[in-house]
PDB file of all heavy atoms in Angstrom:
ATOM      1  N   SER B 135      65.672 110.043  84.137  1.00  0.00           N
ATOM      2  CA  SER B 135      64.751 108.952  84.385  1.00  0.00           C
ATOM      3  C   SER B 135      63.819 108.491  83.307  1.00  0.00           C
ATOM      4  O   SER B 135      63.336 107.448  83.304  1.00  0.00           O
ATOM      5  CB  SER B 135      63.869 109.204  85.644  1.00  0.00           C
ATOM      6  OG  SER B 135      64.624 109.802  86.632  1.00  0.00           O
ATOM      7  N   VAL B 136      63.537 109.330  82.391  1.00  0.00           N
ATOM      8  CA  VAL B 136      62.679 108.816  81.254  1.00  0.00           C
ATOM      9  C   VAL B 136      63.392 108.925  79.933  1.00  0.00           C
ATOM     10  O   VAL B 136      64.068 109.858  79.639  1.00  0.00           O
ATOM     11  CB  VAL B 136      61.401 109.711  81.192  1.00  0.00           C
ATOM     12  CG1 VAL B 136      60.621 109.389  79.911  1.00  0.00           C
ATOM     13  CG2 VAL B 136      60.487 109.445  82.343  1.00  0.00           C
ATOM     14  N   SER B 137      63.282 107.876  79.214  1.00  0.00           N
ATOM     15  CA  SER B 137      64.022 107.836  77.939  1.00  0.00           C
ATOM     16  C   SER B 137      63.341 108.838  76.978  1.00  0.00           C
ATOM     17  O   SER B 137      62.172 108.845  76.768  1.00  0.00           O
ATOM     18  CB  SER B 137      63.914 106.444  77.311  1.00  0.00           C
ATOM     19  OG  SER B 137      64.479 105.591  78.254  1.00  0.00           O
ATOM     20  N   VAL B 138      64.154 109.676  76.389  1.00  0.00           N
ATOM     21  CA  VAL B 138      63.590 110.655  75.514  1.00  0.00           C
ATOM     22  C   VAL B 138      63.974 110.498  74.048  1.00  0.00           C
ATOM     23  O   VAL B 138      63.461 111.134  73.244  1.00  0.00           O
ATOM     24  CB  VAL B 138      63.933 112.105  75.996  1.00  0.00           C
ATOM     25  CG1 VAL B 138      63.212 112.422  77.240  1.00  0.00           C
ATOM     26  CG2 VAL B 138      65.354 112.250  76.162  1.00  0.00           C
ATOM     27  N   ALA B 139      64.835 109.562  73.789  1.00  0.00           N
ATOM     28  CA  ALA B 139      65.191 109.337  72.389  1.00  0.00           C
ATOM     29  C   ALA B 139      65.570 107.849  72.159  1.00  0.00           C
ATOM     30  O   ALA B 139      66.262 107.256  72.864  1.00  0.00           O
ATOM     31  CB  ALA B 139      66.285 110.220  71.938  1.00  0.00           C
ATOM     32  N   THR B 140      64.928 107.263  71.154  1.00  0.00           N
ATOM     33  CA  THR B 140      65.290 105.943  70.853  1.00  0.00           C
ATOM     34  C   THR B 140      65.498 105.836  69.328  1.00  0.00           C
ATOM     35  O   THR B 140      64.648 106.375  68.571  1.00  0.00           O
ATOM     36  CB  THR B 140      64.154 104.960  71.242  1.00  0.00           C
ATOM     37  OG1 THR B 140      63.977 105.101  72.591  1.00  0.00           O
ATOM     38  CG2 THR B 140      64.602 103.504  70.900  1.00  0.00           C
ATOM     39  N   THR B 141      66.611 105.305  68.974  1.00  0.00           N
ATOM     40  CA  THR B 141      66.902 105.275  67.518  1.00  0.00           C
ATOM     41  C   THR B 141      67.233 103.875  67.067  1.00  0.00           C
ATOM     42  O   THR B 141      67.419 102.960  67.926  1.00  0.00           O
ATOM     43  CB  THR B 141      68.139 106.153  67.244  1.00  0.00           C
ATOM     44  OG1 THR B 141      69.161 105.834  68.180  1.00  0.00           O
ATOM     45  CG2 THR B 141      67.829 107.623  67.332  1.00  0.00           C
ATOM     46  N   PHE B 142      67.230 103.670  65.843  1.00  0.00           N
ATOM     47  CA  PHE B 142      67.612 102.379  65.259  1.00  0.00           C
ATOM     48  C   PHE B 142      66.671 101.226  65.624  1.00  0.00           C
ATOM     49  O   PHE B 142      66.972 100.094  65.448  1.00  0.00           O
ATOM     50  CB  PHE B 142      69.038 102.000  65.698  1.00  0.00           C
ATOM     51  CG  PHE B 142      70.054 102.636  64.851  1.00  0.00           C
ATOM     52  CD1 PHE B 142      70.664 103.809  65.304  1.00  0.00           C
ATOM     53  CD2 PHE B 142      70.419 102.136  63.606  1.00  0.00           C
ATOM     54  CE1 PHE B 142      71.641 104.438  64.541  1.00  0.00           C
ATOM     55  CE2 PHE B 142      71.331 102.805  62.822  1.00  0.00           C
ATOM     56  CZ  PHE B 142      71.966 103.911  63.280  1.00  0.00           C
ATOM     57  N   LYS B 143      65.535 101.639  66.148  1.00  0.00           N
ATOM     58  CA  LYS B 143      64.593 100.569  66.604  1.00  0.00           C
ATOM     59  C   LYS B 143      64.222  99.678  65.457  1.00  0.00           C
ATOM     60  O   LYS B 143      64.045  98.504  65.626  1.00  0.00           O
ATOM     61  CB  LYS B 143      63.374 101.270  67.169  1.00  0.00           C
ATOM     62  CG  LYS B 143      63.027 100.724  68.488  1.00  0.00           C
ATOM     63  CD  LYS B 143      61.937 101.488  69.181  1.00  0.00           C
ATOM     64  CE  LYS B 143      61.263 100.586  70.202  1.00  0.00           C
ATOM     65  NZ  LYS B 143      60.316 101.370  71.011  1.00  0.00           N
ATOM     66  N   LYS B 144      64.092 100.288  64.340  1.00  0.00           N
ATOM     67  CA  LYS B 144      63.592  99.518  63.136  1.00  0.00           C
ATOM     68  C   LYS B 144      64.567  98.415  62.734  1.00  0.00           C
ATOM     69  O   LYS B 144      64.208  97.248  62.588  1.00  0.00           O
ATOM     70  CB  LYS B 144      63.380 100.469  61.988  1.00  0.00           C
ATOM     71  CG  LYS B 144      61.920 100.338  61.474  1.00  0.00           C
ATOM     72  CD  LYS B 144      61.671 101.248  60.307  1.00  0.00           C
ATOM     73  CE  LYS B 144      61.801 100.475  59.009  1.00  0.00           C
ATOM     74  NZ  LYS B 144      62.175 101.327  57.909  1.00  0.00           N
ATOM     75  N   THR B 145      65.799  98.826  62.581  1.00  0.00           N
ATOM     76  CA  THR B 145      66.892  97.845  62.220  1.00  0.00           C
ATOM     77  C   THR B 145      66.911  96.748  63.122  1.00  0.00           C
ATOM     78  O   THR B 145      66.981  95.541  62.784  1.00  0.00           O
ATOM     79  CB  THR B 145      68.330  98.495  62.223  1.00  0.00           C
ATOM     80  OG1 THR B 145      68.163  99.921  61.849  1.00  0.00           O
ATOM     81  CG2 THR B 145      69.184  97.771  61.296  1.00  0.00           C
TER      82      THR B 145
END
Side-chain angles (χ1 to χ4, degrees):
Chain B
S135 320
V136 169
S137 304
V138 291
T140 302
T141 47
F142 279 98
K143 229 171 158 173
K144 235 181 100 210
T145 327

